[in-house]
Amino acid sequence: MTESMKYRNIILAAAAAVLAGCAKDAIDPMQGLYPKPEDIKMTKLLSSPVEKLEKVRCFTVEIATEGVNGTDGNYSGTGSVLNIKFYGDKYYLDNATYTSAADGTVKKGFYVAGEGGSTFTRVNSGNTEIIALDHGGISVSSENGVYSISGAIWLANSDVIRLESEVEILYEPDPEPVKLVNVLSCSRNPGLVSLQLAQEGISSTLNPDWSTSWTGEGYYLALDLYSPDGYLHEGTYRACATGGVVGEGEFGIGYDTTVDFGWGPMEMKDWGTCWWYVSNGTTTAQKVLSGTVTVERDGNNWTVELKSGEGKDMLWTTFTGAIPELTDPDSAGEIKYKELSKCLSVSPNTGILSLQLATEDVSSEFNTATSQIIYSGSGYYLAIDIYSADGTLSPGEYKASAAGGAVGEGEFGIGFDTEMWGMQFFNWGTCWWTVEDGVTSAEKVLDGTINVSVDGDVYTIALVSSTVNARFIGKLTL
């Protein structure tokens, strides 16, 4: 969402809150609309399970006052318990202000209220009174695993609680790929392309006696991929069944072999695809025996991704960069764009033109009831903030700004987070958004260039960056 839209939403949200307050019920204005909130401070974490759903995760946070023990409805002592079900799309509970939604509304940025959702429990010497949460905003912020959770919450029995909580919650991260950045070697053999791709700081030198000297500490991947013609082709390669026998669409698993150089057979260890560790000039290997390797090419850059195994034992590596030795003669090496065909919005602001450009199946609509932009469909959209002196879009090249929120002549505004009125707002500026059944998530665009050209009333807007290469060709209403 761009800056202008967010400012508009915030102002409309404030107005909607005032109007909603005026129409809440028929209580005499002199008496006040709501009962006095009950201030509750919760400093005890009882449980924090995470459930992976199809598109998002449900983060249940069960917190209590100091006088309560137990979990999951089996409580003792005296005090109160709050059991909140948040929805998010990261592996951890993200910083945001969460709004209430009925059970069955599975979207990030909401918590579940009403029957079957979040609950508030009063505990008195083991006796419990369970009350469903009805509505209200809950703000979540965290630093180094310490979560502050606060807000005014209306309960189903019309009571109001004002929550203040600070607890430590530790979430187990999902596996992340090991980034490989150096090409140590690339060779073409009959039916194979062999690569050595390493972490930063790892290097090797071939000595006159054919031995190899290693420097640095870290990992490198030795990889054998099937190739009928000595070139690396895009696609998914699966592990071969037998070491040293690599067929179409396969990579060669790690194996040991026997080689006769003319003076008798010698056993050779760790051939084929192996995961090597370098330390103090020595190397040790782990054979890769299963999984897939995915190869993609975008211009002069290759992406080579290996996934082998599952869970904590999973080996996951990615390499993105140039491999000069590998050039497909049938490819001109053009940039591959994510093609955008729909303009969702155009908003001129002071010195900035904000655009939302989407794939065909993505739509957006402003919901006046909630003062939010609601997205539907599945696909992508690109939010752009681009310099404009007069509210028009001039042809030319625009470079990434140096700082978020500061856009000068000839620049586009990089993605950034900001804070207003003590609240955090995320993913402003130029961001690449993914939409899955209306659920959105963003990656900030922090570098690159945007080129704009005009042919009659048809605009071509092309972004090239390390986040995404995306292009829109179509008409804009400016």
Side-chain angles (χ1 to χ4, degrees), residues 406-470:
V407 186
E409 186 174 356
E411 294 182 338
F412 71 89
I414 62 172
F416 67 104
D417 300 329
T418 190
E419 181 177 326
M420 290 187 297
W421 310 306
M423 299 177 64
Q424 283 251 249
F425 295 90
F426 301 96
N427 300 316
W428 287 36
T430 302
C431 295
W432 177 246
W433 291 84
T434 299
V435 183
E436 294 184 1
D437 294 332
V439 178
T440 60
S441 59
E443 296 178 75
K444 297 177 179 67
V445 176
L446 301 174
D447 57 24
T449 59
I450 292 177
N451 277 281
V452 178
S453 60
V454 186
D455 184 3
D457 57 356
V458 175
Y459 284 80
T460 298
I461 304 170
L463 165 69
V464 177
S465 71
S466 61
T467 302
V468 68
N469 299 327

Side-chain angles (χ1 to χ4, degrees), residues 184 198-205 212-218 220 278-283:
L184 300 180
Q199 286 186 294
E200 189 172 2
I202 303 297
S203 61
S204 63
T205 303
T212 302
S213 296
W214 293 90
T215 57
E217 183 168 357
Y220 77 90
V278 181
S279 180
N280 296 322
T282 63
T283 59

Side-chain angles (χ1 to χ4, degrees), residues 48-351:
S48 55
V50 181
E51 180 184 3
K52 288 186 178 182
L53 305 175
E54 183 178 355
K55 302 292 185 183
V56 294
R57 303 183 191 212
C58 180
F59 299 87
T60 299
V61 177
E62 187 182 25
I63 51 180
T65 55
E66 282 300 320
V68 177
N69 296 307
T71 186
D72 197 23
N74 299 312
Y75 305 120
S76 62
T78 300
S80 53
V81 179
L82 196 58
N83 192 302
I84 316 173
K85 296 179 179 180
F86 296 99
Y87 285 133
D89 61 354
K90 297 183 171 60
Y91 76 84
Y92 56 88
L93 181 61
D94 202 4
N95 295 341
T97 297
Y98 294 80
T99 54
S100 57
D103 190 19
T105 305
V106 183
K107 287 189 177 183
K108 74 168 190 175
F110 291 87
Y111 70 90
V112 185
E115 186 176 351
S118 307
T119 59
F120 176 76
T121 302
R122 301 186 191 277
V123 184
N124 187 2
S125 300
N127 298 316
T128 59
E129 178 191 9
I130 303 174
I131 310 166
L133 272 59
D134 186 74
H135 68 280
I138 301 178
S139 178
V140 174
S141 62
S142 65
E143 185 173 356
N144 298 324
V146 177
Y147 277 80
S148 297
I149 305 173
S150 60
I153 306 168
W154 278 255
L155 306 181
N157 65 353
S158 297
D159 287 350
V160 183
I161 62 172
R162 187 157 50 201
L163 172 68
E164 181 183 348
S165 176
E166 187 171 280
V167 292
E168 183 177 21
I169 309 177
L170 300 177
Y171 292 104
E172 186 73 25
D174 290 338
E176 292 188 357
V178 178
K179 301 290 187 181
L180 307 176
V181 296
N182 292 338
V183 180
L184 300 180
S185 68
C186 171
S187 60
R188 302 169 184 172
N189 305 298
L192 289 178
V193 170
S194 297
L195 299 169
Q196 288 186 349
L197 308 172
Q199 286 186 294
E200 189 172 2
I202 303 297
S203 61
S204 63
T205 303
L206 183 63
N207 300 317
D209 62 357
W210 299 101
S211 64
T212 302
S213 296
W214 293 90
T215 57
E217 183 168 357
Y219 292 92
Y220 77 90
L221 176 67
L223 181 61
D224 282 351
L225 292 163
Y226 173 81
S227 173
D229 53 9
Y231 293 100
L232 183 59
H233 297 277
E234 294 181 276
T236 299
Y237 299 75
R238 303 191 179 278
C240 67
T242 305
V245 183
V246 186
E248 184 175 355
E250 294 180 339
F251 73 88
I253 61 172
Y255 68 105
D256 300 333
T257 189
T258 300
V259 178
D260 191 344
F261 292 105
W263 53 78
M266 297 176 60
E267 187 178 20
M268 308 293 286
K269 298 284 189 181
D270 302 317
W271 285 38
T273 300
C274 295
W275 182 235
W276 290 85
Y277 179 66
V278 181
S279 180
N280 296 322
T282 63
T283 59
T284 54
Q286 169 192 338
K287 296 179 177 66
V288 178
L289 302 175
S290 63
T292 59
V293 174
T294 303
V295 177
E296 296 178 350
R297 187 182 178 199
D298 189 352
N300 292 323
N301 283 331
W302 295 86
T303 297
V304 181
E305 179 181 57
L306 164 70
K307 288 186 177 180
S308 178
E310 296 181 354
K312 293 183 179 180
D313 297 326
M314 179 181 185
L315 174 60
W316 182 11
T317 71
T318 59
F319 167 84
T320 299
I323 308 176
E325 297 88 347
L326 298 177
T327 302
D328 187 340
D330 297 324
S331 171
E334 299 91 352
I335 295 173
K336 294 182 180 179
Y337 290 101
K338 297 283 189 182
E339 297 291 350
L340 309 172
S341 58
K342 182 186 292 185
C343 178
L344 299 181
S345 65
V346 179
S347 302
N349 307 290
T350 304

